[in-house]
Amino acid sequence: MRPWTRYWLTSAVAVPAVLAVVGVAAQGGDIERQISAESTKALAGNGSVVVSGRDVTLVGVPFERIPDAEKTVRALPGVRTVAAREPALGPLTISVDDRQVVIAGTTQQDTWRRQFLHVVGEYAHGRPLVDHTSTSPGTDFAMTTTAAAALVSVLTLEPGADVKVSVVDGQVVMEGVLPDAERKANTAKLLQRLFGGGVVVDKTRSA
């Protein structure tokens, strides 16, 4: 076989193969772009996505919204798997006395921070909310909005509590003074329902 004939035959086989690979790559890129656009739209501003083929990674989604976000994106056409990069849950402190409620902690976005404070403030029974929170990339409050609101509601329902609840390193520590043994027991039970008995450390005393 002449060299030029061999070259022509090789090219005749190689060119369609290359074109097929290019076509698959282009199609894959279109799928990625479509999944990325639909996933971003589904998150409605609560985070972003990284897409590899049909696999989606959620980034910057508030910790308490991750389960719903994963469910929503997983239901989109073409999506194969969904995972999330969980934010770092930094220390969170809620202090309550008869004068005020003080909250300290960090979260990633200012919109999350303001929403958290707004909801908790609605359950403070008229006590002013002192805001010591801030924003920091890749972080979120170590307590859901619902849990924080329930805790503040119980602690402010009646006067006499002077309590600090801290979430640090996976433990929920409650310390200070509650008006009586019944309030002390009820508050401890609430925390155990919210977080599980194994993580709650009750250091409070009754007056």
Side-chain angles (χ1 to χ4, degrees):
M1 183 179 297
R2 297 179 182 179
W4 66 266
T5 306
R6 185 183 301 114
Y7 174 79
W8 185 87
L9 289 174
T10 303
S11 300
V13 174
V15 169
V18 170
L19 292 177
V21 170
V22 170
V24 170
Q27 184 181 19
D30 288 342
I31 292 172
E32 282 191 4
R33 284 189 288 273
Q34 180 180 355
I35 290 176
S36 179
E38 292 297 325
S39 300
T40 300
K41 181 180 179 181
L43 292 179
N46 293 307
S48 59
V49 298
V50 176
V51 180
S52 177
R54 297 177 182 272
D55 303 324
V56 181
T57 301
L58 309 180
V59 181
V61 176
F63 183 77
E64 62 186 280
R65 298 183 185 178
I66 285 177
D68 288 340
E70 287 181 331
K71 182 178 179 180
T72 298
V73 173
R74 191 177 292 114
L76 295 174
V79 173
R80 181 171 55 189
T81 65
V82 181
R85 295 180 191 169
E86 294 185 357
L89 301 182
L92 175 71
T93 302
I94 298 178
S95 301
V96 175
D97 60 32
D98 287 343
R99 296 173 295 114
Q100 60 192 11
V101 177
V102 182
I103 300 180
T106 65
T107 189
Q108 180 164 305
Q109 291 188 15
D110 192 56
T111 52
W112 307 350
R113 187 186 67 81
R114 287 187 281 108
Q115 176 67 14
F116 182 91
L117 294 172
H118 171 74
V119 173
V120 173
E122 292 291 308
Y123 289 86
H125 294 100
R127 300 186 198 186
L129 208 64
V130 179
D131 175 18
H132 288 170
T133 62
S134 61
T135 57
S136 179
T139 68
D140 200 8
F141 295 128
M143 189 181 294
T144 67
T145 304
T146 301
L151 174 64
V152 168
S153 179
V154 168
L155 291 176
T156 58
L157 186 60
E158 296 178 9
D162 188 355
V163 173
K164 180 173 74 172
V165 179
S166 305
V167 186
V168 182
D169 297 331
Q171 285 193 322
V172 182
V173 181
M174 181 172 64
E175 49 194 335
V177 180
L178 286 161
D180 52 57
E182 183 179 0
R183 287 278 298 280
K184 172 179 163 62
N186 288 342
T187 305
K189 287 179 181 177
L190 171 66
L191 287 174
Q192 289 166 3
R193 286 200 304 269
L194 293 172
F195 300 100
V199 300
V200 177
V201 179
D202 182 7
K203 297 183 178 180
T204 59
R205 59 183 177 85
S206 53

